[in-house]
Amino acid sequence: MALLQESIDHIPLETGFDDPIYESQIVFRKILKVMSEPGTIKKIKNKLSAPAPMMRATAAICLTLMDFQTKVWLDLPQDSEVSKYLKFHTGLKLVEHSSEADFVVFFTAPAELPPLNLGTDDNPETAATVIIQTQSLDDIGKLKLTGPGIKKSRFLNAENIPASLWDHRVKANSLFPKGIDIILTSDKKLSALPRTTKLKMLKTIKG
Amino acid sequence: MKAISGERKRTSRLKEKTLDGYNFAYLDDQTKRMIRRATLKAVAIPGYQVPFGSREMPLPFGWGTGGIQVTASIIGIDDTLKVIDQGADDTTNAVNIRRFFAKTAGVETTENTSDASIIQTRHRIPEVKLKSDQIIVYQVPIPEPLRWIEPREEETRKMHALTEYGVMHVGLYENIAHFGKVTTSYDYPVQVNDHYVMSPSPIPKFDNPKMDKMPALQLFGAGREKRIYAVPPYTKVKSLDFDDHPFEIESWSECCALCGSSSSFLDEVITDDKGSRMFVCSDSNFCADRRAKGHKGPGLPRKFEIKDVE
Ligand SMILES: [Zn+2]
């Protein structure tokens, strides 16, 4: 009984997808859209609930892409409610070191990137996908984006991301094809910055 | 007491329209997740061939199992699917694949290029310009453009990583030296975003310029060799060429005998058992659409017409 009680304790109250096959396909197409057209913002409509501090878009992305084959690092303790929720709903493997992970999730945008798997020249696809939660996400941008998937340029504003993080991203992506692919989330919104996207921070002139 | 989502018994919206006993779009969710992750990396590294764990499909290799697995992993009930084989919607291959997805995914199908959200193709890109939010999925038999020069996988991987494509250029140049022009008219290699050299699958080189800065997302699936690669929208795709021998596409002195088009890729077809021939659009939907709008070609060859009168 004690064992049963313990395993019931591990069942999170927060729900995943109502209809996993149907919902994960819709969420995947949104991820595919933002990854292939960097800076585009999409919104998820799923009714899932996620334990704090996980935002709904972050939860939807994790439930869509993660399973027992994916190694995941979170900027939260391994016994956090979020860890329990993701383990229960996806069966993912949590890893201790960020450098071992296929997916790295920052629930708070960091000032610098920890050691990450950048892939190799021969197998650049093994590089980490980095999910970062932000306070807000819109196209009234300070960031000017150019590169594949962008017709001329696109603008993006991701609030509360330390400027130093963008410098770290440049460094991580300096040896193409190695690099990291970032998915930004904010509440129900998502956008992406694959390794090929060039970022330029526009200056503000007060007049 | 909250319901536990994992145990909740509920009819999936997908099951209402599809065959009982099948996974939605045939593949199980675990396989789809694996292919979806590979697809995202393919998009993030334009032109790079991402290895994936290809699954057995209920069709033999050569029937586009790679393209089918890609389509199965991205398709949803709101999609409208078009399938073409060498430009035509009505070949056995195209009809079978369309039927496969109509049965296992319950999706709408169409022959009209502009109405499709996903276009799966073997050996052609439609003549009508593809739009943003459309996805074209190519069936790829041989994904490695350097294989004919270098049989070893670890070597071709290195050549790609370092963009060491000198041998490829030498090979094409020798082609010119022998024949006076580049005779490779199908599967003509392209360079994506100034890095990876990529096989566009056996489309005629006539279609190569359509890949450049295309507003639609281009996905490529090779089933036997287990590779997925991609070109995001608005991405530079350049056909390899030389200063003294610029890249050229096929052209015809004739126009389409049926619709009069002089801008489409033409197939030469035989119209009777006496060997009468004519040129017609390879893209059957494009040709039918033009005829429906009143465009007319010069018609059948004269010999055929006389025979017809008799
Ligand atoms: Zn025609």
Side-chain angles (χ1 to χ4, degrees), chain A:
Chain A
M1 271 318 277
L3 196 67
L4 183 64
Q5 188 59 48
E6 198 185 321
S7 51
I8 286 173
D9 285 346
H10 279 93
I11 297 172
L13 291 173
E14 291 81 5
T15 54
F17 291 140
D18 240 17
D19 189 344
I21 296 172
Y22 171 67
E23 293 185 48
S24 61
Q25 185 275 332
I26 291 173
V27 174
F28 171 70
R29 283 288 280 277
K30 291 179 200 269
I31 306 171
L32 182 63
K33 174 77 180 175
V34 298
M35 191 62 88
S36 59
E37 297 188 40
T40 306
I41 297 169
K42 283 272 165 191
K43 219 172 184 177
I44 63 139
K45 290 176 184 152
N46 313 64
K47 286 200 192 86
L48 53 83
S49 59
M54 185 155 59
M55 295 168 172
R56 275 173 286 187
T58 312
I61 294 165
C62 291
L63 298 189
T64 298
L65 298 178
M66 295 172 186
D67 54 34
F68 69 93
Q69 289 183 320
T70 52
K71 291 184 225 153
V72 182
W73 183 89
L74 312 174
D75 68 343
L76 293 172
Q78 296 226 0
D79 60 352
S80 65
E81 289 305 311
V82 169
S83 308
K84 284 180 197 163
Y85 172 89
L86 288 178
K87 262 194 242 169
F88 177 78
H89 286 293
T90 73
L92 59 79
K93 282 186 276 193
L94 285 179
V95 294
E96 208 177 316
H97 303 288
S98 54
S99 59
E100 303 167 75
D102 305 311
F103 288 91
V104 170
V105 189
F106 288 103
F107 294 92
T108 311
E112 51 188 72
L113 292 171
L116 295 171
N117 182 1
L118 305 179
T120 62
D121 281 335
D122 294 355
N123 285 92
E125 81 283 5
T126 55
T129 302
V130 181
I131 302 170
I132 304 173
Q133 295 195 158
T134 69
Q135 293 295 321
S136 73
L137 207 52
D138 60 62
D139 58 1
I140 313 164
K142 286 177 193 161
L143 293 171
K144 186 176 181 176
L145 282 57
T146 53
I150 302 168
K151 195 173 182 181
K152 232 179 115 195
S153 59
R154 208 169 270 139
F155 295 90
L156 189 69
N157 186 29
E159 211 59 62
N160 295 69
I161 291 206
S164 57
L165 183 68
W166 300 130
D167 298 334
H168 273 255
R169 177 184 178 269
V170 169
K171 211 187 265 175
N173 293 343
S174 60
L175 293 170
F176 185 84
K178 294 193 278 190
I180 51 160
D181 307 306
I182 294 177
I183 301 176
L184 298 168
T185 59
S186 180
D187 189 20
K188 293 180 181 174
K189 292 179 185 170
L190 62 144
S191 190
L193 301 169
R195 66 194 78 180
T196 51
T197 306
K198 298 265 181 287
L199 287 187
K200 197 180 162 194
M201 186 89 74
L202 300 187
K203 281 183 199 155
T204 314
I205 296 174
K206 287 184 181 143

Side-chain angles (χ1 to χ4, degrees), chain B residues 64-84:
Chain B
T65 54
I68 290 171
Q69 289 179 85
V70 171
T71 298
S73 304
I74 64 173
I75 204 164
I77 48 172
D78 296 330
D79 277 308
T80 304
L81 178 72
K82 172 183 166 82
V83 183
I84 49 169

Side-chain angles (χ1 to χ4, degrees), chain B residues 205-237:
Chain B
K205 65 180 180 178
F206 178 89
D207 285 341
N208 277 22
K210 296 175 186 168
M211 306 179 87
D212 184 37
K213 301 192 170 67
M214 184 192 277
L217 170 62
Q218 305 177 66
L219 300 177
F220 300 79
R224 188 172 26 211
E225 305 226 10
K226 306 178 173 62
R227 294 286 185 277
I228 290 172
Y229 50 102
V231 178
Y234 313 112
T235 300
K236 185 178 168 190
V237 176

Side-chain angles (χ1 to χ4, degrees), chain B residues 113-248:
Chain B
T113 303
S114 310
D115 293 341
S117 56
I118 299 174
I119 299 155
Q120 181 168 328
T121 178
R122 176 175 174 268
H123 301 186
R124 273 313 308 277
I125 299 174
E127 304 292 359
V128 173
K129 235 178 157 250
L130 300 186
K131 302 172 290 190
S132 175
D133 276 331
Q134 285 186 312
I135 301 176
I136 179 164
V137 179
Y138 298 80
Q139 299 171 199
V140 181
I142 301 161
E144 180 50 72
L146 303 173
R147 191 59 74 228
W148 60 287
I149 299 164
E150 176 53 68
R152 289 166 298 177
E153 173 71 15
E154 63 269 36
E155 289 303 315
T156 52
R157 286 199 163 265
K158 260 184 215 130
M159 290 157 83
H160 283 300
L162 305 169
T163 57
E164 271 177 10
Y165 295 126
V167 280
M168 184 97 211
H169 274 96
V170 170
L172 287 177
Y173 204 85
E174 278 172 358
N175 210 323
I176 294 173
H178 277 286
F179 302 102
K181 61 173 182 161
V182 179
T183 52
T184 310
S185 48
Y186 290 88
D187 216 349
Y188 189 97
V190 294
Q191 189 160 26
V192 181
N193 195 35
D194 298 320
H195 191 104
Y196 287 100
V197 164
M198 182 186 94
S199 156
S201 85
I203 56 172
K205 65 180 180 178
F206 178 89
D207 285 341
N208 277 22
K210 296 175 186 168
M211 306 179 87
D212 184 37
K213 301 192 170 67
M214 184 192 277
L217 170 62
Q218 305 177 66
L219 300 177
F220 300 79
R224 188 172 26 211
E225 305 226 10
K226 306 178 173 62
R227 294 286 185 277
I228 290 172
Y229 50 102
V231 178
Y234 313 112
T235 300
K236 185 178 168 190
V237 176
K238 191 183 181 301
S239 302
L240 298 184
D241 67 351
F242 313 93
D243 292 339
D244 50 346
H245 291 276
F247 174 77
E248 272 173 6

